[in-house]
Amino acid sequence: MGNQVVIIVGTFVLIVTGLLLGYVLSQLVLGFLGFNLLTLLGTISLIVIFGTLYYVLFWQLRQEPLESFNSDIPSQIDEDITGNYLKNRLIARLSGDVAAAERLIEQAKQNYPGMPENWYCERVLDDLDRDQR
């Protein structure tokens, strides 16, 4: 949303600046506007504003696809799928006892704080495998 606002506002200002620059230059060329220090500085400032906005706007447009491509959404989805798979495996290992699976995960969280959610499921599954041997 933020990038879209920048692009919309930048495009609007770029159009207005371009129209002003075109008008000032046409009036200078046609001779309806006298050439003095004020018109020179105004024209230079319009050119600088136009060039800066043009650069920023197209830099923003070029960066937008890269940001959406590099987003963490696919990795988050992969983690969710893996977490659900591990949790379902744990529940199946406990013969469908969801409450026991939740208790074991909570106990692992207390024993090993700060780990990813998938790690706790893997840890409980490994502990169950080790206890069966």
Side-chain angles (χ1 to χ4, degrees):
M1 180 72 179
N3 289 341
Q4 291 175 346
V5 171
V6 169
I7 290 170
I8 291 169
V9 170
T11 303
F12 177 74
V13 173
L14 191 63
I15 289 171
V16 170
T17 306
L19 289 173
L20 284 172
L21 181 60
Y23 177 76
V24 167
L25 290 177
S26 68
Q27 296 304 308
L28 279 171
V29 169
L30 293 174
F32 296 127
L33 187 62
F35 188 75
N36 57 26
L37 184 62
L38 185 63
T39 57
L40 176 69
L41 292 177
T43 305
I44 289 173
S45 68
L46 283 173
I47 291 171
V48 168
I49 291 169
F50 187 81
T52 304
L53 279 172
Y54 187 81
Y55 176 78
V56 168
L57 182 64
F58 284 102
W59 178 79
Q60 185 74 22
L61 284 172
R62 191 183 72 220
Q63 293 299 320
E64 188 173 325
L66 295 176
E67 290 171 1
S68 64
F69 181 75
N70 291 332
S71 71
D72 290 334
I73 293 172
S75 65
Q76 183 65 33
I77 291 172
D78 289 343
E79 289 176 13
D80 290 344
I81 291 171
T82 304
N84 288 338
Y85 171 74
L86 291 171
K87 199 171 230 179
N88 288 338
R89 252 182 73 197
L90 177 60
I91 292 169
R93 179 61 90 45
L94 297 171
S95 303
D97 192 355
V98 177
E102 292 295 329
R103 270 195 318 272
L104 289 171
I105 291 172
E106 285 303 315
Q107 185 179 8
K109 285 181 181 179
Q110 290 175 1
N111 292 339
Y112 307 99
M115 301 302 284
E117 190 70 30
N118 294 342
W119 187 88
Y120 296 117
C121 290
E122 289 175 2
R123 179 69 188 198
V124 170
L125 284 167
D126 289 343
D127 288 347
L128 288 174
D129 285 341
R130 189 182 62 234
D131 291 345
Q132 279 185 346
R133 288 186 230 155

